Amino acid sequence: MEPVRRAVVIEDDDDIRHLLDTVLSQAGFAVTACVNGYDGVEAVRNVGPMVVTLDVNMPGIDGFETAKRIRAFSDAYIVMLTALGEEIDTLQGLESGADDYVTKPFRPRELRARIEAMLRRPRAGAAATPPPAAPPGRPAEPPAYAPPPGGAHAAPPARGVPPTAPAERLEHRVLGPLGRR
């Protein structure tokens, strides 16, 4: 059984809060909605969501402070949704712990796509899913190429071809019997 996807919406505007609730519910989230930062921080603490949407201009504590407080105990993805569109606002939002910063008015389908894209990238502390096992009778994929330490640049080794193979043997391996006519 797949775990329940949870989201917390922290938004003081009723219409936007209901729109976000609808968008996230349609995306398969169980949504908890709050009207201010104080209640939002407590909801995140109690619900343990995967995603938090967060307005900046709210009564009580603003979204920047709310994000900092959430980030102190949660690794949920935080998307700030705000009318503040200046570069300094975006930078402050990202520095306070937001993973994305979207200005209002926003496109609901784009917001949903952004959230789904974030969820495809697991957090650094999350357990990575192991690569799928090779089918029987087939060798496993080689590990991804990593450049040698010290910043030296070298091409990755060709799969199954020794680096000293003569050109004729290489040609035969690549083209098989069709290589010579």
Side-chain angles (χ1 to χ4, degrees), residues 16-171:
I16 295 174
R17 190 172 57 254
H18 292 301
L19 174 61
L20 291 169
D21 188 322
T22 300
V23 168
L24 292 169
S25 294
Q26 289 175 350
F29 287 92
V31 179
T32 301
C34 305
V35 297
N36 63 60
Y38 293 116
D39 293 342
V41 170
E42 283 310 304
V44 171
R45 191 181 311 277
N46 295 330
V47 172
M50 298 171 78
V51 175
V52 176
T53 65
L54 176 59
D55 186 17
V56 172
N57 291 323
M58 296 182 297
I61 58 173
D62 67 14
F64 302 127
E65 180 61 26
T66 302
K68 288 177 188 173
R69 291 183 186 193
I70 291 170
R71 192 54 72 219
F73 65 87
S74 173
D75 66 349
Y77 293 99
I78 299 174
V79 180
M80 287 195 158
L81 283 161
T82 178
L84 301 178
E86 296 295 321
E87 179 183 25
I88 190 68
D89 300 317
T90 303
L91 295 174
Q92 188 175 357
L94 295 172
E95 288 172 1
S96 67
D99 296 288
D100 201 356
Y101 191 97
V102 178
T103 56
K104 297 175 187 173
F106 64 93
R107 295 184 293 263
R109 287 186 295 196
E110 178 184 340
L111 174 65
R112 182 174 170 175
R114 286 173 177 265
I115 290 171
E116 293 297 340
M118 280 190 296
L119 293 174
R120 286 192 299 268
R121 297 184 302 270
R123 287 282 191 208
T129 56
R138 209 170 142 211
E141 287 291 316
Y145 173 72
H153 297 286
R159 221 187 258 174
V161 179
T164 58
E168 294 82 18
R169 286 186 26 215
L170 178 61
E171 181 180 358

